[in-house]
Amino acid sequence: TRIPKKVSAYEHAVNYNEAELNDSPGRTSFTFSEADLARFSSPDWIDADMPGYLIRPSAMTQHNLGLSGGSENQRYFISMGYLKQNGIIRNTGYERINLRLNESINIGKKIRLDIRSALIPSKRTEPATVTYPGGPNSSLSSALSEAFRYGNDVPLFTPDGKWASVRSGVNALALSSEEGGRLVSNDMQLTGNASLKYNIVENLNFTFLYGLDYTQNKSKDFRRKMSLYSPFSEGVVDMAVKNNALSISNLSSNFRSVQMLLDYDVNLKSGNLSMLGGFTQESYLEESHSVGRSDFLTENTQVINAGSTDRNLWTTSGTAADWALRSFIGRASYSHKDRYILEGSFRADGSSRFVPDLRWGFFPSLSAAWKISDEAFIKNIDAIDFFRLRSSWGKVGNQNVGFYPF
């Protein structure tokens, strides 16, 4: 990615004054005075380089290890992965571990067990975002905006190395620095599915499937106190973040699915007959809880009870939502010589998103197809390799109407 190069502080000041003159001809006073222009052109002046400070080269390391093997009745695959990346923006980073296990087992001649699972813990760091009970907002976007929006005439630091104010106001790069605070998010995702297939008799199978997708996020967001000093008047505080603050949140989501299916598939002399029927159920639950306090006596103890006992400086919130879907399904199809195909299906769905009296919906469908290219009267036409007519009819439903619309 190419990073735009900004003009020098002197060029920026000259162009800014020229723009003001073009906007208001005859104007005699400008944002940048002659003294400013002289200072920016002096050999002692060093241009501020906000993008150069904020954006840095970053290294990434990634390692993967896999192991597979087994026997005639059992196969397995195990893999591990590690990724670490220091963010190209200061005070950011990402770290992740991947663990995966896949296994297939034949239990006798009639049962087969398949397991697929993955565990992915990760950690993300970024600048603090908590601001209550008041104070300047900060984010990566505001730091990037400020880095490229302001000219090189705006110093980041005072001559003695303290964070400087920006035009006597907020310095977004200072607030997004590690000295301004940090948001640490620890995520964990567990996914998996297991299937058990049992061959009851020839051509008739029973299959049980269970699936899980669980995610959890725990985050700690701590804003530190901070003073921004005038870059031109030694020791003068232009702005101060007087309140430190801590917010801790926990979010989780859990999606589960169960399927129990019977399928029958047989090749007949005249064609193929296939039938399937069964039961499926899906459920989803999400929960979110957060607490926060401000005015910590020491910033080295970042726990909720170390904050103020003034309840006006406390925040709490919590939400939850869930839904469930239960279905009965059936499908049958017959193919005669792979030329004439007839298929019918049916499903009944009951969704928790609707009131009990309107919870169930019934959705049938029918289809028929004719592979004309296999007929004798068209089979020898070289210009036609494949030609099929298909007609279908069906009803569909939609439950994406919010969690609790009623």
Side-chain angles (χ1 to χ4, degrees), residues 188-206:
M188 191 273 288
Q189 181 179 21
L190 174 63
T191 60
N193 61 76
S195 67
L196 183 70
K197 187 172 184 178
Y198 174 52
N199 178 225
I200 302 172
V201 294
E202 186 179 3
N203 302 320
L204 179 63
N205 298 293
F206 170 76

Side-chain angles (χ1 to χ4, degrees), residues 362-378:
F362 304 94
F363 309 101
S365 69
L366 291 170
S367 69
W370 177 23
K371 191 176 178 183
I372 303 177
S373 54
D374 280 356
E375 299 291 352
F377 64 86
I378 203 172

